[in-house]
RNA sequence: GCGGAUAUGGUGUAGUGGUAACAUAGGAGGUUUCCAACCUCUUGUCGCGGGUUCGACUCCCGCUAUCCGCACCA
């Protein structure tokens, strides 16, 4: 990072702290690593970003909003793969209280203990009894999952069950699939969104808002039918060439249409969400020139994903991944199906019912059962694979290697017509996952504008109207002759309007007050002057142009 | 987690073994007919804990936090 850049970053961070946008949390107690407060200004900003995000996706029409618990039972995150991916399994020596990683202790007893589940590790530990590396005792406590997810206990005392604070919001949406499917009249595609907190007990949180232990995230799970080709219209984005860093082609600039045509973006729905993500990010004030999409390389991609793109934003910390858009296939729903035995599927009807003519053989249970006993099941499979013209008796070699003679009395002709009108399948999921804190950081970074004004440094936060935390500042030019009263009336009126935030400020010169408003990005300032008292008009001054025009109070 | 640096009003900084300064910001008043002007008054600070000392913001130790490398992670 250049010195100029570092200095700017320090001034920006100082301003954010001074003006109550972002502050270290619990600072009077010495602070806590990886935890931040959104202050009196930042709290509103965060909420506006969240709301803009929700509206952006809900406007697609087939998206619903969910809110799932952050406290999540162990089994859920074990099924999703997080326990294995995000945890180290620890055990403690009861003699010397030294904590050790179970997989490290068991390295000489298993080729790859890292791959074992918690239960398998426990079994292997009980069986192999490795000595404690520091005191040589053999007395290990029960294995517990440690590290990247915050452990907790759900319930008290002996009835408490292990759980975690969720490391992402997605799992609750997957486990809610049956309710979503019913709500959407059993028709795909549909999506669910959730805005909320996620928790990761990072070893070393760094770089301010970039890596946090408690963070705001917003995720969309879009469920699609893999048997239906995804068709999306990208013409709305044709005017804009996007920077793509593709796995094979490297950095290229082209429209979304082209990227999909050339199969650089491998799935249309992924491309569609990339385009919508581009819209969202620019809407909240991210500079399109400092935005790019980077494709995960094959070996970097999570094993279940078929295509994955990150939206990266360039700011004070270089290029930072702020959004991940992944085609997750059927991985998640299948994982929860396997773990629970419940069905997480959708039904699709075939265009034409599939008529299957079955003309072959099957066993006659009453005869073949007693004749083949334990082998009867395997005989049935073998017989049903025989062509219809088979003559009996016949000698068959079963899967198991056993040889049997099947006589005609053991079998019967199986001739029927089966009609399949459709099938149950596991939907595929395309998941855009947004790191809200990282996006907010870059909104602030991109909006922070320092200009030399009359030889002095002057800072303006050029926030988009969608996310500006304060909509209006109301100033009396002087707080006398009734100007203060009129300004307070206008301020009160604005505050009454739904979703409008207004601030009243009468201290300091008018220029100082404009400067204060500009620093936190208030788009419009309203000033009451002497003329206002006569004709009920006020001046409205716009932040970015400094232009003023007179407006009647009733038109505000 | 390892190594290095740092920690002084809201913010940015100076400084000392004898309880602290400057700038800026904030509040009150005055002045001012629209972009950080000016005048008066005023609020507020040595990260936390322990040690050395008659006395510690200053020296030592530990902790916490911040920044930079490495590692981890996405």
């Amino acid at each position: 990072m250049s010195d100029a850049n570092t200095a700017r970053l320090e001034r920006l961070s100082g301003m954010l702290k001074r003006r109550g946008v972002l502050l270290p949390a619990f600072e009077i107690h010495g602070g806590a690593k990886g935890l931040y407060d959104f202050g009196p200004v930042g709290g509103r900003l965060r909420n506006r970003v969240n709301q803009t995000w929700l509206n952006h996706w809900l406007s697609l029409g087939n998206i619903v909003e969910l809110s799932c618990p952050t406290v999540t039972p162990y089994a859920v995150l074990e099924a999703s793969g997080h326990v294995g991916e995000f945890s180290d399994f620890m055990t403690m020596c009861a003699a010397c209280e030294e904590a050790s990683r179970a997989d490290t202790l068991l390295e000489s007893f298993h080729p790859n203990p890292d791959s074992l589940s918690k239960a398998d590790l426990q079994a292997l530990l009980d069986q192999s009894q490795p000595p404690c590396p520091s005191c040589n005792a053999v007395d290990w406590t029960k294995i517990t999952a440690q590290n990247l997810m915050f452990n907790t206990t759900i319930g008290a005392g002996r009835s408490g069950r292990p759980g975690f604070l969720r490391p992402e919001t997605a799992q609750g949406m997957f486990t809610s699939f049956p309710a979503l499917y019913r709500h959407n009249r059993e028709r795909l595609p549909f999506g669910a969104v959730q805005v909320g907190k996620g928790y990761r007990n990072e070893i070393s949180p760094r770089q301010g808002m970039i890596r946090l232990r408690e963070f705001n995230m917003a995720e969309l799970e879009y469920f699609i039918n893999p048997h239906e080709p995804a068709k999306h219209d990208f013409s709305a984005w044709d005017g804009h060439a996007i920077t793509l860093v593709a796995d094979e082609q490297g950095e290229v600039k082209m429209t979304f249409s082209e990227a999909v045509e050339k199969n650089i973006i491998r799935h249309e729905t992924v491309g569609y969400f990339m385009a919508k993500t581009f819209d969202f990010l620019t809407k909240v004030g991210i500079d399109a020139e400092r935005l790019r999409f980077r494709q995960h390389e094959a070996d970097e991609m999570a094993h279940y994903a078929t295509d994955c793109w990150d939206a990266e934003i360039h700011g004070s910390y270089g290029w930072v991944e702020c959004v991940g858009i992944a085609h997750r296939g059927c991985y998640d729903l299948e994982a929860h199906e396997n773990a629970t035995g419940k069905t997480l599927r959708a039904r699709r009807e075939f265009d034409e019912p599939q008529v299957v003519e079955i003309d072959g053989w099957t066993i006659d249970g009453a005869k073949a059962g007693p004749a083949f006993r334990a082998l009867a099941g395997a005989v049935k499979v073998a017989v049903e694979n025989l062509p219809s013209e088979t003559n009996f008796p016949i000698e068959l070699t079963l899967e198991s290697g056993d040889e049997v003679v099947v006589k005609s009395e053991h079998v019967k002709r199986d001739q029927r017509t089966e009609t399949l009108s459709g099938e149950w399948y596991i939907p595929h999921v395309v998941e855009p996952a947004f790191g809200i804190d990282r996006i907010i950081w870059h909104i602030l970074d991109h909006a922070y504008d320092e200009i030399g004004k009359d030889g002095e440094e002057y800072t303006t936060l050029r926030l988009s109207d969608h996310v500006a935390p304060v909509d209006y500042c109301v100033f009396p030019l002087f707080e006398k002759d009734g100007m203060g009263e009129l300004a307070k009336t206008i301020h009160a009126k604005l505050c009454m309007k739904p979703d409008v935030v207004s601030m009243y400020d009468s201290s300091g010169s008018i220029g100082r007050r404009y400067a204060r408003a500009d620093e936190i990005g208030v788009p419009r300032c309203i000033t009451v002057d002497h003329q206002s008292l006569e004709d009920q008009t006020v001046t409205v001054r716009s932040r970015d142009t400094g232009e003023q025009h007179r407006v009647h109070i009733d038109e505000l």
Side-chain angles (χ1 to χ4, degrees), chain A residues 52-254:
Chain A
T52 306
W53 188 89
L54 280 169
N55 293 342
H56 186 75
W57 298 110
L58 292 174
S59 72
L60 295 183
N62 62 343
I63 308 283
V64 293
E65 182 183 357
L66 291 186
S67 181
C68 303
T70 57
V71 176
T72 309
Y74 187 97
V76 174
L77 293 160
E78 186 176 45
S80 67
H82 285 89
V83 172
E85 289 285 314
F86 278 67
S87 299
D88 289 332
F89 292 108
M90 305 296 290
T91 178
M92 215 168 68
C93 172
C96 71
E97 301 204 329
E98 180 81 10
S100 293
R101 280 178 59 162
D103 56 345
T104 312
L105 287 173
L106 295 168
E107 262 165 2
S108 49
F109 300 93
H110 191 277
N112 186 15
D114 197 30
S115 66
L116 294 177
S117 73
K118 183 183 170 190
D120 291 344
L121 276 171
Q122 184 71 59
L124 187 59
L125 180 71
D126 293 344
Q127 179 203 321
S128 48
Q129 298 282 323
C132 173
S134 55
C135 75
N136 248 6
V138 181
D139 188 3
W140 296 106
T141 60
K142 262 200 156 357
I143 292 177
T144 52
Q146 291 270 321
N147 261 350
L148 280 176
M149 290 194 289
F150 280 96
N151 279 301
T152 189
T153 304
I154 307 172
R158 227 172 295 161
S159 66
R161 297 168 59 213
F164 298 104
L165 297 183
R166 66 182 179 196
E168 58 171 37
T169 66
Q171 296 311 319
M173 294 192 271
F174 295 131
T175 56
S176 299
F177 180 78
L180 291 167
Y181 185 56
R182 237 179 297 131
H183 175 86
N184 285 287
R185 294 273 106 77
E186 307 185 358
R187 254 173 243 168
L188 270 62
F190 60 77
V193 286
Q194 182 165 196
V195 173
K197 299 277 197 174
Y199 302 83
R200 293 182 193 182
N201 204 356
E202 296 285 355
I203 294 167
S204 178
R206 280 285 176 85
Q207 301 179 306
M209 300 294 288
I210 305 302
R211 185 168 303 147
L212 298 170
R213 288 196 166 125
E214 172 174 326
F215 48 94
N216 294 283
M217 60 195 318
E219 294 185 299
L220 163 60
E221 307 301 332
Y222 198 69
F223 298 94
I224 55 175
N225 177 350
H227 306 283
E228 261 172 27
K231 273 283 153 219
H232 293 281
D233 180 7
F234 293 96
S235 59
W237 293 276
D238 279 349
H240 228 103
I242 310 293
T243 306
L244 301 171
V245 183
D247 183 14
E248 286 161 22
Q249 294 82 351
E251 184 165 325
V252 291
K253 247 184 130 100
M254 59 176 71

Side-chain angles (χ1 to χ4, degrees), chain A residues 362-384 386 392-398 400 402-412:
Chain A
T362 188
I363 56 168
D364 182 348
K367 300 266 171 52
F372 298 109
R373 297 183 172 263
L375 297 175
V379 171
K380 182 173 189 236
V381 172
V383 166
E384 286 180 357
L386 293 172
F392 296 90
I394 186 172
E395 196 166 299
L396 292 175
T397 305
L398 302 179
S400 56
D402 294 297
E403 295 197 353
V404 293
V405 176
V406 180
K407 300 178 185 167
S408 58
E409 68 205 62
H410 296 141
V411 299
K412 56 185 181 188

Side-chain angles (χ1 to χ4, degrees), chain A residues 493-508:
Chain A
K493 207 173 99 185
L494 288 170
C495 288
M496 291 293 288
K497 296 193 180 195
D499 215 33
V500 168
V501 177
S502 169
M503 283 197 343
Y504 176 83
D505 191 357
S506 65
S507 78

